[in-house]
């Protein structure tokens, strides 16, 4: 731990922001190098601007800091990905291949690769989707994530590179905003409720999707990465579940606290994406192999989100 130098690529994203803080708590400020394609005010401590499509730049920085672990979070998500499929493919796949190659060539000990429920398509069971379900995604994001899972396993089997991966459900958190996904409504709805505005949902009321609270997502990531190597049996990616819910269920949970909260449903192209995704996830493998267990259900998530966002908007006044 002490000699580790942990590089986070995409440190300014929804997950990256919170994961970077959690890794600093574990490894120390001086052992975590945050990076993204632009610097922001939140970037205190070690920071480098890295466009991970640039192999030489990434290689130089990994050498300069003697990086031992890489958390590669840079990606274009499902909804934004459909606006420019070829660019999304290039960014999502080229950055990962650069990370895997640089890691192999510089003896980086561990790599974390975030996959997603977006790997699943119409031919996967909708309820309790198993880890080894057939993968036929219909978004460029999902296609790139399946590709990445197979490259992760390839580098593990061919070069013994310790790449580990999770299939994140939609992440719900208050510290940072999501960026261009189909599950983003589950964060925006709380912001609108707290500022007293009506929420227009881009999914139908009964669209059930797997979600996870940010603290569970971060804990799962660190528990996976710190588990003994022998326990990691799946080298493509692990299903993890938090809680599944519909927009209607979130609105009802919010109304228990904000009685005059109102929501309208105006499905757009993202409904088509959500319709191809599972409604609930079977994460037996993660529970068996590295003792994964979620902690937060919808009412706990709602309580924390409303409390934290009220504080945030109070301070902003
Ligand atoms: C998205 O909606 O695209 C992401 C995901 C589920 O991976 N949040």
């Amino acid at each position: 731990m002490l000699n580790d130098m942990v590089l986070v690529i995409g440190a300014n994203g929804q997950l990256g922001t919170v994961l970077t803080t959690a890794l600093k708590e574990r490894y120390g400020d001086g052992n975590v190098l945050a990076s993204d394609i632009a610097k922001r005010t939140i970037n205190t401590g070690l920071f480098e601007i890295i466009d991970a499509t640039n192999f030489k730049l990434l290689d130089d920085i990994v050498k300069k800091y003697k990086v031992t672990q890489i958390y590669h979070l840079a990606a274009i998500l499902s909804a934004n990905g459909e606006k420019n499929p070829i660019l999304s493919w290039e960014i999502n796949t080229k950055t990962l291949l650069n990370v895997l190659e640089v890691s192999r060539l510089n003896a980086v000990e561990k790599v974390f690769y975030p996959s997603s429920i977006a790997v699943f398509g119409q031919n996967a069971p909708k309820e309790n989707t198993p880890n080894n379900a057939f993968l036929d995604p219909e978004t460029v994001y999902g296609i790139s994530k399946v590709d990445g899972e197979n490259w992760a396993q390839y580098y593990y089997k061919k070069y013994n590179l310790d790449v580990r991966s999770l299939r994140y459900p939609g992440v719900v958190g208050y510290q940072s905003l999501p960026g261009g996904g189909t599950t983003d409504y589950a964060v925006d709805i709380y912001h609108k409720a707290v500022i007293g505005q009506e929420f227009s949902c881009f999914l139908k009321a009964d669209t059930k999707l797997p979600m996870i609270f940010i603290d569970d997502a971060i804990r799962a990531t660190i528990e996976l990465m710190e588990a003994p190597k022998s326990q990691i049996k799946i080298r493509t990616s692990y299903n993890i579940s938090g809680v599944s819910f519909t927009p209607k269920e979130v609105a009802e949970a919010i109304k228990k606290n904000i009685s005059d909260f109102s929501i309208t449903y105006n499905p757009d192209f993202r409904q088509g994406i959500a319709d191809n995704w599972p409604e609930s996830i079977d994460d037996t493998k993660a529970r068996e192999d590295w003792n994964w267990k979620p902690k937060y259900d919808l009412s706990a998530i709602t309580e924390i989100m409303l409390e934290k966002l009220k504080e945030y908007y109070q301070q902003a006044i």
Side-chain angles (χ1 to χ4, degrees):
M1 294 263 273
L2 281 179
N3 307 327
D4 268 303
M5 176 53 78
V6 182
L7 168 62
V8 181
I9 298 173
N12 290 342
Q14 183 193 18
L15 269 170
T17 308
V18 186
L19 183 65
T20 301
T21 308
L23 290 168
K24 284 182 176 177
E25 278 157 19
R26 297 188 79 74
Y27 293 88
D29 282 6
N31 294 64
V32 177
L33 171 60
S35 77
D36 212 308
I37 48 175
K39 187 160 187 174
R40 289 178 34 207
T41 48
I42 56 163
N43 300 129
T44 54
L46 292 179
F47 185 87
E48 289 278 357
I49 291 184
I50 297 181
D51 170 355
T53 62
N54 180 333
F55 181 90
K56 173 125 184 29
L57 172 66
L58 181 61
D59 189 51
D60 289 348
I61 287 174
V62 165
K63 283 184 170 61
K64 174 181 168 189
Y65 289 87
K66 298 187 176 55
V67 169
T68 58
Q69 296 188 33
I70 301 180
Y71 286 74
H72 174 52
L73 306 176
I76 295 181
L77 302 185
S78 58
N80 278 356
E82 293 309 297
K83 294 171 186 158
N84 192 333
I86 301 304
L87 175 70
S88 308
W89 172 257
E90 278 166 8
I91 290 185
N92 290 3
T93 54
K94 187 154 182 45
T95 55
L96 173 65
L97 278 174
N98 282 348
V99 165
L100 293 173
E101 250 321 80
V102 164
S103 299
R104 177 176 77 83
L105 297 170
N106 290 282
V108 169
E109 286 154 24
K110 271 185 213 172
V111 173
F112 175 72
Y113 169 64
S115 186
S116 162
I117 56 170
V119 295
F120 299 113
Q122 288 187 28
N123 292 298
K126 273 262 178 254
E127 286 293 347
N128 282 326
T129 309
N131 220 109
N132 63 357
F134 183 72
L135 306 180
D136 57 344
E138 296 186 14
T139 61
V140 62
Y141 174 63
I143 296 167
S144 69
K145 287 298 179 184
V146 173
D147 174 76
E149 291 188 8
N150 290 325
W151 274 114
Q153 177 168 252
Y154 181 87
Y155 270 74
Y156 172 69
K157 294 205 170 173
K158 188 173 179 74
Y159 305 115
N160 197 26
L161 181 63
D162 190 358
V163 193
R164 303 181 186 193
S165 177
L166 292 176
R167 291 171 179 160
Y168 288 113
V171 176
V172 180
Y174 54 90
Q175 302 95 326
S176 49
L177 289 174
T182 302
T183 57
D184 293 10
Y185 89 85
V187 174
D188 298 346
I189 192 170
Y190 290 105
H191 285 262
K192 288 289 188 298
V194 166
I195 61 178
Q197 284 182 10
E198 178 177 274
F199 180 65
S200 165
C201 186
F202 57 69
L203 297 179
K204 292 179 191 161
D206 60 356
T207 308
K208 184 179 174 188
L209 287 171
M211 301 283 184
I212 190 167
F213 187 51
I214 186 80
D215 292 12
D216 269 345
I218 299 298
R219 183 169 55 82
T221 308
I222 292 176
E223 286 178 1
L224 172 79
M225 290 298 277
E226 294 189 351
K229 193 174 180 179
S230 58
Q231 284 178 230
I232 308 304
K233 308 263 175 10
I234 293 180
R235 290 293 179 169
T236 48
S237 194
Y238 277 96
N239 282 4
I240 54 164
S241 78
V243 55
S244 289
F245 52 72
T246 67
K248 188 162 178 283
E249 287 165 339
V250 187
E252 277 156 12
I254 290 171
K255 280 182 194 158
K256 288 189 186 132
N257 185 297
I258 304 174
S259 55
D260 61 353
F261 170 66
S262 70
I263 182 168
T264 59
Y265 298 98
N266 307 293
D268 66 14
F269 75 98
R270 288 166 280 193
Q271 185 66 48
I273 297 175
D275 290 343
N276 276 334
W277 287 358
E279 294 188 353
S280 63
I281 295 287
D282 172 359
D283 58 4
T284 306
K285 294 294 180 195
R287 291 171 188 250
E288 285 171 356
D289 293 358
W290 44 279
N291 307 313
W292 161 246
K293 196 169 183 328
K295 286 189 182 153
Y296 297 88
D297 62 12
L298 179 55
S299 64
I301 292 172
T302 300
E303 193 185 322
I304 299 168
M305 288 295 285
L306 294 178
E307 180 201 325
K308 294 290 183 184
L309 290 175
K310 281 177 184 166
E311 274 171 29
Y312 170 75
Y313 284 107
Q314 280 299 326
Q315 281 155 12
I317 298 172

